[in-house]
Amino acid sequence: MLNLNDILNISTALLIAWSCSLLGVFLVLRKMVMVGDAISHSVLPGVVMAFLVGSYSSSSFILIGAAVFGVLTTIIIDFLYRKLKLQEDASIGLTFTWLFALGVILITVFADGNSHIDKDCVLFGELGLTFLDKIIIGGRLWGTKSMMLLLPLLLIVVVFVFKGFKGFQIHAFQAEYAQTKGISTGFWHYALMTLVSLVTVLSFESVGAILVVGFLVVPPATAYLLTKNLRNMLLLSLVISTFDVLVGYFTALHFDLAISPTIITVSGLVIFLTIVVQITNSRFKTVV
Amino acid sequence: MLSSTLILVLIGLAVISAVAGVVGCYAFLRKRALVGDAVAHSVLPGVAVGFILSGTKDPFYLLLGGLVFGYLAILSIDVIHRKTKLSEDSAIGLVTTIYFAFGSVFLSVISNSGNGDQAGLKDFLFGKAATMTEMDVIVFLIAAILVVISVGVFYKPFLLLSFNKDFANTQGWKVNFYETLLSLMTVLIIAIGLQAVGVVLMSALLIAPAASSRYWTNSLRKMMAISAVFGAMAGIGGGLLSLLGEDMPTGPWVIMILFLFTLITLLFAPEKGYFFIRRRNSNNLRKINEENVMKALHQLNEIGIKEVTLSSFLDKRKMDTDQLQKTFNNVSDKDWVTKTNDVYALTERGAIEAKRIVRLHRLWELYLTQRLNFKEDHIHGTAETIEHLITDELEAQLVKELDYPTEDPHNKEIPYN
């Protein structure tokens, strides 16, 4: 039977999934999935530093820390790749392993007595625990703390995607053309990266670093296989991630499994089936 | 101070880091540095499945499971990349995260089954260098020997595969076979190294030593050697640094050293390093500016203007004023021009140099029209570029080829000394 905590958990998961699947579309199109992966690892030092400056309850520190390190990640990658001429895959790999290592060192150096920081938690997260932070005002339940952060973020992402649809569209498909049209590709690039960092860091405690990447890449990649149209891709990505969350959540509940990994596993099955059908049957190359 | 456990750990770290450095060279050269990261994450479900099926924490079964899933991950990336329209980075991202999620689900199954023996499985993620046993080090050594033998025996096909796969194919090498071999080697090293050093360090070990060794040499053999030495040094250094604090993780310190060394390499390496390239570029630019100024001075001479000031020079040839001032300073340092109150004039030596550039320019224009049938109004631009590159030998050949010409296509004199 569905109880209140389930509803809170599902809402949290959906908020993360929707933000990620919208942003992920642009990562997939720009062939920047691994930059997203890198960011999800390398916001760690930002989070740790924010912990040290303030407490977790003052979430603004965390957000700023995450945004700074997220953008810093892309800047370092660009610097290694463009200025120092290191090949791109190595630039990405080097940057995120280094920043992640920095984060782990910071944790071990400063974590004494700070029970909030735990590398297991950072990496795996636990969706089933988010409902613990309920916000109750005037005797009525308004949601959980993480929802209060994730909801505005989703709104920002949605507004951004709608307002910037044209900019994102041109930027995603033809960065050079966008430049000739006077659209600032740098702006859209860093805007996208900042949003990815924020989503990652807000999802940390719920789903963990690596699974954020799952939400960022799997539903958008599935949608990319099924459609050629950006608008459809965004919508399809939302639909698929919703399906993944619902099926994954109840499967996990039924078999008593870890929730967020199960959701990603379900999304993995969805794209697996899509790929198998497409490879074996060319009629289904593009559906919408 | 150095206990025997510590020495064991340091040896183990050095060996696994060195081997990862060697294997990483191939991943780096084939631009598959991030595949190592995907494999490292994908070993998790393998370890979990190995544990469930065997019911023990016997490293052999865990390793076997890890190998199978690691190799499956590489296959999956290949299939997704080749058979669908998804790009390679999407494929890597998909495989990394889905396999890892799958593994996490299995871990939760294991912990729910109430099997208290599962503690330690998570060490595969972060690594526990401090608990390295003699057995581990022996396994590392065996793997190291296997890797050295394989890269020795298959040096040539591996080399061709890394630099030019299509060429290897046309030469009749069984490319698929050797690719599989390389993949298996990579998966093996990752799987055995994970428990000691963890996922993130494993990825870094495959990338950083290889990336920096590439900047020191063009030979694959030397590259592997440098990479191995560098990996081993970082391994030992990281192991020692982690002694600084209690409960300090080893992996992150190794990564710190790796990153530092790579950064130093990228900045300061001879031939390929950032500062070297910048200095070479600025030297080239200075030479080109000097030659352009000398050429313009000769052309002014031809119309009877023997002395110029900076501003009267600018009427002849547009240039950035600062650059021009600097260039004039340079050529007067070389004694090619004399400067008396802001007025410049060619010296005897300067005249020779100026003639040389003008001669090269006009020779090339003539060559383009006579031998390559260029139209006369299309030759100036290329000649502007090539005049800075033509060597004395080339010049001699051009002169001979064009039969000691005296006039260029615009009927201007080709000056000889």
Side-chain angles (χ1 to χ4, degrees), chain B residues 54 82 92 98 128 143 167 174 188 193 196 219 238 257 263 296 332 355 380 382 390:
Chain B
S54 71
R82 278 188 295 111
I92 296 175
I98 293 173
K128 264 228 170 332
F167 179 68
K174 291 195 191 71
L188 178 75
S219 139
I257 297 180
L263 204 61
S332 45
K355 275 185 194 168
H380 181 74
T382 11
I390 293 177

Side-chain angles (χ1 to χ4, degrees), chain A residues 45-56 61-62 106-107 109-111 114 117:
Chain A
V47 175
V48 180
M49 284 178 189
F51 264 119
L52 299 174
V53 177
S55 64
Y56 198 54
F61 282 117
I62 306 273
L106 286 177
I107 288 180
V109 172
F110 295 107
N114 194 339
I117 322 177

Side-chain angles (χ1 to χ4, degrees), chain A residues 8-77:
Chain A
L8 290 177
N9 285 340
I10 291 176
S11 318
T12 310
L14 281 177
L15 288 174
I16 295 171
W18 288 338
S19 299
C20 286
S21 46
L22 289 176
L23 294 174
V25 164
F26 298 102
L27 291 182
V28 168
L29 289 174
R30 294 284 294 133
K31 299 198 188 357
M32 286 175 51
V33 169
M34 292 317 283
V35 179
D37 182 35
I39 287 180
S40 74
H41 286 79
S42 51
V43 290
L44 183 60
V47 175
V48 180
M49 284 178 189
F51 264 119
L52 299 174
V53 177
S55 64
Y56 198 54
S57 46
S58 57
S59 316
S60 48
F61 282 117
I62 306 273
L63 291 180
I64 296 168
V68 166
F69 271 84
V71 172
L72 191 67
T73 308
T74 47
I75 291 175
I76 297 178
I77 292 174

Side-chain angles (χ1 to χ4, degrees), chain A residues 21-260:
Chain A
S21 46
L22 289 176
L23 294 174
V25 164
F26 298 102
L27 291 182
V28 168
L29 289 174
R30 294 284 294 133
K31 299 198 188 357
M32 286 175 51
V33 169
M34 292 317 283
V35 179
D37 182 35
I39 287 180
S40 74
H41 286 79
S42 51
V43 290
L44 183 60
V47 175
V48 180
M49 284 178 189
F51 264 119
L52 299 174
V53 177
S55 64
Y56 198 54
S57 46
S58 57
S59 316
S60 48
F61 282 117
I62 306 273
L63 291 180
I64 296 168
V68 166
F69 271 84
V71 172
L72 191 67
T73 308
T74 47
I75 291 175
I76 297 178
I77 292 174
D78 271 3
F79 177 74
L80 292 176
Y81 175 53
R82 288 183 213 289
K83 285 273 178 215
L84 302 188
K85 309 284 179 213
L86 181 63
Q87 69 193 37
E88 195 175 14
D89 57 342
S91 306
I92 295 173
L94 207 59
T95 308
F96 84 79
T97 50
W98 173 60
L99 285 171
F100 188 81
L102 187 67
V104 176
I105 290 178
L106 286 177
I107 288 180
T108 36
V109 172
F110 295 107
D112 303 333
N114 194 339
S115 57
H116 274 302
I117 322 177
D118 168 27
K119 57 185 176 182
D120 275 11
C121 166
V122 166
L123 276 191
F124 294 99
E126 184 50 69
L127 192 61
L129 295 179
T130 52
F131 66 80
L132 289 178
D133 274 316
K134 288 198 187 73
I135 294 179
I136 297 166
I137 300 170
R140 285 185 52 184
L141 175 73
W142 289 82
T144 65
K145 205 185 67 197
S146 46
M147 284 169 69
M148 288 303 129
L149 292 168
L150 286 165
L151 187 63
L153 186 65
L154 176 63
L155 290 179
I156 294 174
V157 170
V158 170
V159 168
F160 218 76
V161 170
F162 270 95
K163 275 281 181 195
F165 186 77
K166 194 152 190 118
F168 267 137
Q169 187 177 30
I170 299 178
H171 176 55
F173 291 103
Q174 271 291 349
E176 286 89 358
Y177 176 66
Q179 269 166 355
T180 64
K181 294 283 275 186
I183 296 169
S184 162
T185 49
F187 172 75
W188 293 111
H189 180 74
Y190 287 111
L192 183 60
M193 291 304 126
T194 309
L195 287 174
V196 169
S197 327
L198 292 179
V199 171
T200 307
V201 85
L202 287 184
S203 318
F204 252 135
E205 57 167 1
S206 318
V207 297
I210 293 141
L211 297 180
V212 179
V213 189
F215 283 115
L216 278 171
V217 56
V218 189
T222 318
Y224 180 66
L225 287 172
L226 295 172
T227 176
K228 283 179 175 162
N229 175 305
L230 178 59
R231 202 177 297 269
N232 289 343
M233 193 173 156
L234 289 165
L235 292 174
L236 211 53
S237 186
L238 285 176
V239 172
I240 293 169
S241 64
T242 309
F243 174 83
D244 295 339
V245 166
L246 294 177
V247 174
Y249 188 82
F250 289 110
T251 312
L253 218 55
H254 189 260
F255 293 102
D256 195 16
L257 305 169
I259 299 167
S260 34

Side-chain angles (χ1 to χ4, degrees), chain A residues 94, chain B residues 14 17-18 21 204-205 207-213 216 223-237 254-263 265:
Chain A
L94 207 59
Chain B
S17 308
L205 276 177
I207 298 170
S212 36
S213 64
W216 294 98
M223 186 178 158
M224 289 191 293
I226 296 172
S227 187
V229 170
F230 170 36
M233 274 164 40
I236 295 174
V254 180
I255 296 181
M256 288 293 141
I257 297 180
L258 288 171
F259 186 80
L260 193 69
F261 195 92
T262 311
L263 204 61
T265 296

